[in-house]
Structure formats: C-alpha cells, structure tokens
Amino acid sequence: MKEFRFSDNIIVKRKKLGMTQGDVATYIGVSGSAVSKWEQGLSYPDLTLLPKLASLFHITIDELLGYEPQLTTNKIMETYHIFSKRLNKEHFETVQKDVENMIKEYYSCFPLLVRISQFYINHYSYSQNPQRVLDRIIELCERVVALSDDYKLIQEAQTIYATTLLIMNKPQELLKNVGSEVPIQFGVEKLIAKAYAMLKNHDKVKEILQINAFQHLFSMVSSEIEFLKYASDNQNLFDKMINRLEKVIDLYNIEKLNSHIKLTFYYQASLGYMKQHRHTDALCMLERFYHTCKYLSFPMKISGDDYFYTVDNWIEQNINAGPYAPRNDQVIKEDLINMIKKELLFVPLHKDPKFKLIINNLERIFQSK
C-alpha cells in the first residue's frame, strides 16, 4: 500500500478551491498553525475532524488520506505474477509473509482475495505446511462469498473453495456446499444474442455466439478427458473416446487455443492404456505429449485463432486470471516432466528405451526454453 498522502492532498484541494490555510482553519475550527503543520506533514488532524475536512473538499475520507482500499485488476495480476516468479528463487514461506501482509492491507479487496486463493491453490505443495495453506484458502473464499456482492467473483471463490475441499479429501462437504446434481444450462447466452439481433447489432451477435461456443467446446472436451480416467475398464468405450477426442482436438486446433488441454488428453490417454496393459499405445501417447511440449510457447496462455476470432478481448476482460497460466513457467516445466517421470503407472516403462528418450527430450527442451 502506498503511504498516506494527506499533506499533499490537503494542499492540492485547498488551492483548487482558492482557499488559504486560514480559511481552512476557520471552517474546521482550528488554528492556522495547525493547518500549516498538516500540510508540512508534521502532524495529523484529530480523527473527529476528518469527516468535516472531507466534506469541505467534496471527497471521501479515503481520498483525503490518499488511502486506496481497492486494487485494479491489472495491479492484482501484476502482483500475482511477481509472487509466482519469486517462488523460483525463494522459499514458499518467505513469499507467503509478503502475501499475507498484502492481504492485511487490502482485506476488503475481494478480487485480490480470490486471486491470492488461486495463488495458494496452485502453489500450496511448495509449503512446509500445505494443510495450513489449504485452510487459509477456505478462510479467504468464505470471506468473499459472505461479503462480496459480485456474482462472478463469488462463483470463482466457490469453485476454488470446492477444489480445495477435494484436495483436502472432503467430498461429502463439497457435495453439501455445491450440490450433488448437474444443473440445467438454460442457454441465456443465446437469448442475449437474439436481443442484440433485434437491435441490429450483428457484430455483437457473432461475438456472443462464438464466445459461447468457445466455452462449451472446452467444457465438453475437458469433461470427456476427465471421463477417460474412469473409462479404462471398458476398452471399447475407451477407444471410441480416444478416437473422437483426437478428431475434435485436431478439428478445432485446440493446441493453438489451449495447449494444456491437449497435453492433459495425451497424459490421461497414456494412463488409461497403462491400466489396460497396452504399453505400446501408452508410449505412442507419451511421444505425442512430448511433441506437443516441444512446440509450447511460454508463458502459456488461452487465446483465440482465425476461427475463434472474437474471444481474445473477452478473455482479457472476463477471466480474472487473464489469458496466461496462473503458475510461473519454471513450475509448469517441472510439473510436465514430473507428471511423466514420477507417475507410478509408468514404472513398467522405465527400462524401455523409448520412455527414457521421452524423459531425456523433455528435460532437454525445457532447459533450452
């Protein structure tokens, strides 16, 4: 937080109104020397005088003091990425001290609390006490849900809260708080598009429908990839899902839109094949995983392309985390290597020359990027 700028503010506001120090003193009911000391930063007025001063200058008390209780979205994201990058060189606990100090200063800035919750959930495993960090996420999310009046912010806090409950192995509590049934999607986006069509704003119609399709595409593909985890016991269904997902991913050029989705697909497919003892197919998917990594650009981001040409601006304005990955590049690279190297299902492949080559190649390309 910036230091209070009371002395500068009172000078600027007084001169803007064409008042002398004596005029201010008379209005407030203090001596001229008292006002002079305020402007020199040698003293501050009594707390009970602040409302009268603020009223005189037609500003809030916060504005009078130069206190900014809220941070801009850009400032929040800039701060997030600074904290994230610091984890490359500093211990989690060292960074966390500064994070918590910032929370104390901006405890009523709910967008910051949500973003800090996201920061913690993406990096809690680096803490010496991960459980304490998870408990802190719950506290921050509960505060946002209880006190914020921003519906989208509350939804995001609830999602982070629910994810934390899963990490904490509390599925029953999640179902109690979030619900146990899939809600109907009423398609309000299409109604909005029709309203714009009636207003003859066809550019807005195209934008809304394309953004809607963009979101549903990722929702569908992500759900199918998650389904792969539980479909390996049915080889026929599993193979059909792999076939269809590959076609959709290639058809919509998902590697360009969100490379993380494509990486997750290859990873989950390879795990499914390992469960079915189809090692050759698993290695094939791991090779595709590597080739996707080979062409990754950092920082990783979600973006449109020449087909989804209206979504970039929407991503910037509506996704609080912004288009870029919420974890720093080094952490992402390490995770992409370790999710292959340390996965127990891949142990039977450890002596296979192809598997060793995949690991070596991943380590090599990420060292060079």
Side-chain angles (χ1 to χ4, degrees):
M1 180 189 297
K2 298 179 180 178
E3 296 296 324
F4 284 159
R5 299 186 300 275
F6 173 76
S7 58
D8 293 334
N9 286 345
I10 195 172
I11 293 171
V12 171
K13 296 298 182 182
R14 173 176 63 77
K15 290 182 176 180
K16 185 176 181 180
L17 293 177
M19 301 178 71
T20 65
Q21 290 181 345
D23 293 333
V24 175
T26 299
Y27 181 86
I28 300 300
V30 297
S31 66
S33 62
V35 176
S36 177
K37 288 181 180 179
W38 296 346
E39 293 189 357
Q40 295 178 67
L42 299 176
S43 65
Y44 288 98
D46 185 88
L47 183 63
T48 59
L49 299 178
L50 293 180
K52 200 169 185 179
L53 266 173
S55 177
L56 171 63
F57 297 133
H58 305 291
I59 57 177
T60 66
I61 294 176
D62 284 348
E63 290 172 320
L64 178 67
L65 295 175
Y67 170 60
E68 300 175 1
Q70 299 293 317
L71 294 169
T72 65
T73 299
N74 287 340
K75 183 62 178 177
I76 291 171
M77 290 312 303
E78 177 187 342
T79 302
Y80 180 105
H81 291 301
I82 288 173
F83 285 141
S84 183
K85 288 179 180 178
R86 284 178 58 185
L87 290 175
N88 286 337
K89 299 179 180 179
E90 302 177 57
H91 292 299
F92 180 89
E93 280 66 28
T94 302
V95 177
Q96 186 183 22
K97 287 181 181 179
D98 290 338
V99 172
E100 289 296 326
N101 284 335
M102 191 168 197
I103 290 174
K104 289 178 183 177
E105 294 174 348
Y106 294 100
Y107 203 39
S108 63
C109 182
F110 300 127
L112 174 69
L113 299 190
V114 169
R115 209 52 51 227
I116 293 301
S117 298
Q118 183 189 34
F119 172 79
Y120 279 161
I121 205 169
N122 284 320
H123 301 96
Y124 76 95
S125 59
Y126 291 88
S127 171
Q128 295 176 3
N129 192 336
Q131 184 59 50
R132 185 178 298 172
V133 179
L134 293 172
D135 290 338
R136 183 59 167 152
I137 296 170
I138 295 295
E139 292 173 0
L140 295 175
C141 289
E142 286 179 338
R143 177 172 173 81
V144 173
V145 171
L147 300 178
S148 176
D149 57 3
D150 185 324
Y151 178 67
K152 289 197 295 184
L153 205 61
I154 291 173
Q155 279 191 315
E156 189 172 4
Q158 288 175 326
T159 300
I160 295 173
Y161 179 91
T163 304
T164 306
L165 290 176
L166 286 182
I167 294 171
M168 297 170 73
N169 195 28
K170 296 182 177 180
Q172 291 293 345
E173 190 170 338
L174 182 149
L175 294 174
K176 180 180 178 182
N177 284 274
V178 176
S180 57
E181 300 296 333
V182 179
I184 296 174
Q185 297 181 358
F186 291 101
V188 67
E189 302 88 353
K190 289 187 279 292
L191 297 179
I192 295 172
K194 288 181 179 180
Y196 275 113
M198 293 173 69
L199 295 171
K200 309 299 183 184
N201 190 342
H202 293 159
D203 286 340
K204 195 66 178 178
V205 173
K206 294 174 184 176
E207 178 185 347
I208 289 172
L209 293 177
Q210 191 175 89
I211 290 169
N212 189 38
F214 183 80
Q215 292 186 85
H216 281 289
L217 170 64
F218 284 116
S219 177
M220 185 274 288
V221 172
S222 296
S223 294
E224 289 283 279
I225 292 172
E226 187 71 14
F227 193 2
L228 280 177
K229 295 180 183 179
Y230 311 99
S232 59
D233 59 343
N234 184 332
Q235 183 172 324
N236 185 48
L237 173 62
F238 186 84
D239 287 347
K240 285 183 179 179
M241 293 179 66
I242 294 292
N243 181 262
R244 293 189 184 192
L245 277 168
E246 281 189 304
K247 289 179 179 177
V248 172
I249 287 171
D250 289 341
L251 178 64
Y252 282 95
N253 194 22
I254 283 180
E255 182 174 353
K256 165 67 175 176
L257 305 175
N258 185 345
S259 54
H260 179 263
I261 293 287
K262 190 172 185 179
L263 288 170
T264 304
F265 165 66
Y266 288 142
Y267 180 70
Q268 292 299 337
S270 62
L271 292 179
Y273 283 134
M274 290 304 296
K275 292 176 183 177
Q276 296 170 358
H277 306 290
R278 298 162 69 182
H279 294 180
T280 300
D281 291 327
L283 280 169
C284 180
M285 287 296 169
L286 289 177
E287 286 177 342
R288 295 180 188 180
F289 180 95
Y290 156 68
H291 282 292
T292 303
C293 288
K294 185 177 179 180
Y295 296 103
L296 285 179
S297 296
F298 289 92
M300 291 174 67
K301 63 180 294 188
I302 302 172
S303 67
D305 59 7
D306 56 359
Y307 183 80
F308 287 109
Y309 60 90
T310 68
V311 303
D312 285 333
N313 187 54
W314 176 84
I315 291 170
E316 291 279 357
Q317 294 182 0
N318 291 276
I319 298 181
N320 289 324
Y324 293 100
R327 295 183 296 166
N328 71 66
D329 296 349
Q330 188 57 39
V331 170
I332 292 173
K333 293 173 184 177
E334 290 175 0
D335 282 352
L336 289 173
I337 294 172
N338 289 332
M339 62 195 293
I340 306 297
K341 197 174 182 179
K342 298 184 178 181
E343 170 56 54
L344 294 179
L345 282 173
F346 294 138
V347 169
L349 301 178
H350 282 189
K351 294 182 180 181
D352 190 297
K354 289 184 178 180
F355 183 82
K356 292 180 180 179
L357 183 60
I358 290 169
I359 297 298
N360 290 337
N361 284 338
L362 283 172
E363 292 175 337
R364 175 178 54 79
I365 63 170
F366 287 143
Q367 286 174 357
S368 64
K369 283 183 180 288

